[in-house]
Amino acid sequence: MNNLFIFVDGITKEKLNEMIDKSSFENKVDFFAQVCKTYNLELTVKRNKSFKYFLSKFNLI
């Protein structure tokens, strides 16, 4: 699972939905619950421009 989320800047909404559909999870909630379990906020801010922008915009970092 972790390997799927190394580089996310290029993942579109459509590609994410395709990944969820091809996964072994029963639904999106289960998929995102697993993502949250393995989520590294510090690393994500370094690697994902959109996420860093979002957090900065709302003064969360």
Side-chain angles (χ1 to χ4, degrees):
M1 179 76 179
N2 290 345
N3 293 337
L4 292 176
F5 299 97
I6 292 174
F7 301 104
V8 295
D9 272 339
I11 296 179
T12 63
K13 179 179 158 185
E14 292 77 19
K15 180 65 176 168
L16 180 62
N17 286 334
E18 181 182 323
M19 291 169 62
I20 294 169
D21 290 343
K22 290 182 178 181
S23 75
S24 59
F25 298 99
E26 292 186 27
N27 55 53
K28 287 184 179 185
V29 173
D30 291 342
F31 181 87
F32 286 114
Q34 183 61 35
V35 170
C36 290
K37 287 180 188 176
T38 59
Y39 205 70
N40 181 327
L41 183 61
E42 184 179 326
L43 185 60
T44 303
V45 168
K46 289 179 183 177
R47 291 185 173 174
N48 187 302
K49 296 174 196 168
S50 297
F51 194 74
K52 183 177 181 178
Y53 171 79
F54 170 79
L55 293 179
S56 297
K57 181 176 175 132
F58 294 101
N59 297 318
L60 299 172
I61 58 171

